[in-house]
Amino acid sequence: MTVPSAHVPLGAVRLSPGLFENRRLLNTGYLGSLTVPNLLQNFYVEAGIGDQSWHLRVAEGPGPHDGRDRHWGWETPGGLLRGHFLGHWMSAAAREVATGANPALAPALDAVLAGLQRCQRENGGEWVFAIPPRFLERVAAGLPTWAPQYALHKTFMGLVDVYRDLGDRRALAIADAAAAWFDRWSEGFTPEQFADILDAETGGMLEVWADLLEITGDDRYRRLLDRYWRSRLFDPLLDGVDVLTNMHANTTIPEVLGAARAFEVTGDERWRRVVENYWRLAVIERGTFCTGGQTSGEIWTPPFEFAARRGEKTQEHCTVYNMIRLADVLFRWTGEIGYLDYIERNLYNGILAQQNPRTGMVAYFLPLEGGAHKHWGTPTDDFWCCHGTLVQAHSRHSGLIYYDQPDGAVVVAQLIASRLELEGFAVTVELRETAVRVGPDANAARAGSRHRPDSWGVVITTEATEARRLRVRIPEWVDGPAIAQVGDGRQEVAPGFLEIDVDAGTTVIELTLPSRLAVVPIPDEPSTVAFLDGPVVLAGLVDHEVALTGTLPERASELLVPDNERQWGEWLRGYRTRRQQRSIRFRPVYEITDEAFTMYFPIADAEGEQ
């Protein structure tokens, strides 16, 4: 049965100390370290604003110290995607301010908006971007130009998010004036000519037009929605035809997110069918790597054919982030729990795994070859596309934990340490005995825990002024029935939703989620497997692909035992191999920084036969 859901209000959720809050803090510290002049550097250059010292520094180029003073990489003046990062920064900063998590970013955000207003005035009142209109003329002429609409969309996106999250009408006015240019420009082409233009990566332009239509009601945006229907992708999807294999993934995911917003704003069912068929073809009938992610060299793999696609450029971060967004959309439409399980797998093994736990920087790809290394970006020298999605992703963890449903129920969608506060109702989620503190005394173990627990302990506390229904996701990775203890009552719960009607006052729900090592084979090479501990992929600390011996692939989890399990007040999640010629230690992939690692292992019998 379809049970639509909605996000809870911004500011109603705060992360509690723990893994996700630690990563958010790394990210928000980075947001605050970037200066307004550097964020606006390319917008000022395009508008003819700046001082001579800046132009001299550009001529010198980046050096050992210049990277700290200016932005380089994809943000280097003259770069074809210059200016793209500012939109991501605005979106992330607005969310941090709106949720109350980091109000200190508000002055910088205010200064950025003032700078963009000035650029728009200097450019004649409409154009506000860091690249020139000439780039779009080249696309229209069929000349090679690297994705100008992708770059332009980021500025639109940031402005729209600032307006939606903070209600700042300056941001809306800038976006609305800039959209007038696009309405005028796009009406000058035949449908076939514009179809050619749409084939040159438009990013999330369709989503922006839908957002602005909802905000303003202006028919200009309805016209733009119709023009940005990408017929060469959407028409086959409407017919259920798989056109994704070897297609650039993150060209299409933002377009489908735009289709989702178009459906939500217009109610036109053809947009919804595009979205639903895309998910079916991209995920259900294609499969994923063990991490939950996909793509090799930024393109979709053939359905369930992964063995030949493992390399140094698998799982692009942008695709992980945008597919999480798509799963969030589909859960809100349907209430189906599988989308939440998908989000969880990708949060741990994509969003967290591709953020450096020490520096907060991003890995563009998560390599799946044997003996891989994560290649980390730097604060000011790279500014890849994934650099932008990184700062957005870690500002939005709180938005994926709780949802409202029409019957008044609150969904606990992700088991992330946090607190929800609504009028008359509050929920606190606390994790226990899963690599977190286990008691007030950091040197004391919980009674009975001689070794690392083989279950996740979760405590959910509600405070209500009247009775309320709670739906708690019991993850698909739970091994056997979960145990829910409410007062003296105890019940077993299968994966799915635990439904509890909580009374007025305080209710404490203690969940025990049994977990075991799971083995996930490559579909087209089933003797090669990865290991998962709950939703978390384990990475072997080995600099090449090595076969493990002594059992069948489906029983390969028998080859791993807990390793270095205890540290002060924490249970650690490491493992090591046993009965192997060479011992290999395993750690959660999201903890890996600069070590060589391998995630897939061939399994051979005692004689070495695979």
Side-chain angles (χ1 to χ4, degrees):
M1 182 176 70
T2 297
V3 183
S5 303
H7 291 133
V8 298
L10 287 180
V13 183
R14 295 297 292 270
L15 298 182
S16 302
L19 176 60
F20 284 85
E21 172 67 350
N22 290 344
R23 298 302 189 88
R24 185 198 70 81
L25 287 171
L26 273 176
N27 187 64
T28 197
Y30 173 63
L31 291 172
S33 74
L34 301 176
T35 68
V36 172
N38 290 343
L39 289 165
L40 288 169
Q41 65 182 31
N42 290 305
F43 296 84
Y44 286 160
V45 170
E46 178 61 25
I49 303 169
D51 58 54
Q52 189 162 354
S53 65
W54 163 230
H55 294 290
L56 291 173
R57 295 297 286 278
V58 172
E60 293 170 4
H65 302 294
D66 292 342
R68 289 199 297 268
D69 301 326
R70 298 292 183 184
H71 293 177
W72 305 100
W74 289 17
E75 287 295 327
T76 299
L80 294 180
L81 294 185
R82 59 186 183 266
H84 77 102
F85 179 76
L86 178 66
H88 293 287
W89 185 93
M90 286 194 290
S91 181
R95 184 58 56 94
E96 287 285 325
V97 173
T99 59
N102 188 357
L105 288 169
L109 187 56
D110 182 74
V112 163
L113 289 176
L116 290 177
Q117 284 181 309
R118 182 184 177 194
C119 289
Q120 193 167 54
R121 287 195 302 270
E122 295 287 343
N123 287 328
E126 290 182 345
W127 195 261
V128 69
F129 307 102
I131 59 175
R134 171 63 180 155
F135 283 12
L136 289 177
E137 295 172 12
R138 288 181 59 83
V139 169
L143 300 173
T145 307
W146 189 17
Q149 291 203 75
Y150 170 91
L152 298 170
H153 156 255
K154 303 307 179 186
T155 305
F156 270 125
M157 171 193 68
L159 292 166
V160 169
D161 285 348
V162 169
Y163 174 75
R164 291 199 303 184
D165 286 0
L166 298 173
D168 194 316
R169 298 198 66 83
R170 291 176 300 168
L172 177 60
I174 296 168
D176 193 50
W181 188 96
F182 278 87
D183 184 32
R184 202 167 53 251
W185 169 73
S186 61
E187 72 180 353
F189 301 97
T190 67
E192 188 64 23
Q193 289 172 329
F194 206 66
D196 290 339
I197 291 171
L198 294 181
D199 281 344
E201 193 172 359
T202 62
M205 295 293 274
L206 180 63
E207 184 175 8
V208 163
W209 306 144
D211 286 336
L212 289 170
L213 174 59
E214 181 181 56
I215 292 167
T216 69
D218 192 325
D219 279 345
R220 167 195 298 161
Y221 298 111
R222 199 175 301 275
R223 294 193 299 268
L224 286 165
L225 273 185
D226 290 339
R227 288 173 195 157
Y228 275 74
W229 171 273
R230 191 183 174 196
S231 58
R232 293 171 187 171
L233 173 65
F234 291 167
D235 288 352
L237 288 175
L238 279 179
D239 295 334
V241 176
D242 183 5
V243 292
L244 300 185
T245 297
N246 292 332
M247 178 175 280
H248 185 253
N250 206 50
T251 292
T252 60
I253 307 169
E255 292 172 318
V256 173
L257 285 165
R261 285 296 290 138
F263 166 69
E264 291 173 346
V265 173
T266 69
D268 186 338
E269 284 289 333
R270 64 174 182 155
W271 296 109
R272 178 169 181 146
R273 294 203 310 274
V274 164
V275 176
E276 292 172 337
N277 284 345
Y278 187 88
W279 181 271
R280 176 176 58 81
L281 295 166
V283 179
I284 298 171
E285 296 182 9
R286 187 167 307 273
T288 70
F289 291 112
C290 60
T291 56
Q294 247 275 8
T295 73
S296 176
E298 302 191 24
I299 65 171
W300 290 113
T301 67
F304 300 105
E305 294 184 20
F306 302 153
R309 297 290 177 112
R310 290 174 296 144
E312 63 178 348
K313 290 183 174 61
T314 40
Q315 188 169 296
E316 182 195 16
H317 181 276
C318 287
T319 66
V320 175
Y321 172 66
N322 282 320
M323 288 300 287
I324 285 175
R325 290 190 63 213
L326 190 57
D328 167 73
V329 166
L330 287 163
F331 174 72
R332 288 189 287 104
W333 289 359
T334 68
E336 293 177 8
I337 198 169
Y339 298 115
L340 303 182
D341 290 322
Y342 178 93
I343 290 171
E344 179 183 56
R345 181 83 68 92
N346 281 274
L347 281 175
Y348 279 103
N349 308 302
I351 301 302
L352 295 186
Q354 290 175 255
Q355 183 200 34
N356 189 308
R358 292 197 284 264
T359 68
M361 290 296 98
V362 72
Y364 196 135
F365 299 102
L366 183 67
L368 294 181
E369 62 184 353
H373 283 88
K374 297 178 184 178
H375 178 55
W376 301 111
T378 61
T380 56
D381 287 336
D382 298 299
F383 289 107
W384 305 312
C385 53
C386 299
H387 201 124
T389 55
L390 168 92
V391 299
Q392 276 188 288
H394 288 282
S395 70
R396 281 160 164 72
H397 296 318
S398 61
L400 297 171
I401 304 174
Y402 303 96
Y403 296 83
D404 272 328
Q405 293 194 319
D407 62 357
V410 169
V411 175
V412 180
Q414 300 298 332
L415 301 177
I416 294 174
S418 57
R419 181 172 173 83
L420 167 71
E421 292 189 2
L422 301 172
E423 184 176 352
F425 189 63
V427 182
T428 302
V429 175
E430 178 188 0
L431 304 186
R432 292 183 180 169
E433 299 195 331
T434 51
V436 297
R437 297 283 179 193
V438 298
D441 181 353
N443 297 310
R446 186 176 295 276
S449 298
R450 294 174 63 89
H451 294 287
R452 184 169 68 204
D454 58 358
S455 61
W456 289 43
V458 183
V459 178
I460 300 173
T461 304
T462 65
E463 303 155 44
T465 57
E466 58 184 25
R468 192 82 178 257
R469 173 160 291 189
L470 199 67
R471 293 190 173 100
V472 181
R473 180 178 66 95
I474 305 299
E476 51 85 22
W477 49 259
V478 168
D479 181 35
I483 305 299
Q485 185 87 29
V486 184
D488 295 332
R490 185 176 184 274
Q491 62 176 301
E492 294 185 349
V493 190
F497 284 115
L498 165 67
E499 297 204 15
I500 293 182
D501 291 317
V502 298
D503 295 326
T506 300
T507 303
V508 178
I509 305 161
E510 297 191 49
L511 294 178
T512 301
L513 308 178
S515 175
R516 65 178 175 86
L517 281 180
V519 176
V520 178
I522 296 176
D524 53 329
E525 194 176 285
S527 62
T528 299
V529 305
F531 300 94
L532 273 78
D533 182 5
V536 178
V537 174
L538 298 174
L541 302 183
V542 60
D543 62 4
H544 62 286
E545 184 176 281
V546 57
L548 304 181
T549 62
T551 190
L552 299 173
E554 59 269 24
R555 297 177 59 184
S557 61
E558 299 170 358
L559 302 177
L560 271 61
V561 294
D563 177 63
N564 188 28
E565 67 179 10
R566 185 68 182 192
Q567 168 179 283
W568 295 299
E570 294 179 300
W571 293 111
L572 305 182
R573 305 305 300 178
Y575 290 82
R576 59 177 169 81
T577 55
R578 61 178 176 175
R579 302 196 303 268
Q580 303 300 304
Q581 290 185 346
R582 175 184 175 184
S583 180
I584 301 172
R585 305 181 84 176
F586 284 76
R587 287 165 46 195
V589 69
Y590 64 73
E591 293 182 359
I592 300 297
T593 51
D594 300 321
E595 308 94 322
F597 67 96
T598 298
M599 280 192 279
Y600 278 110
F601 291 82
I603 305 298
D605 61 25
E607 285 72 41
E609 295 292 328
Q610 294 186 37

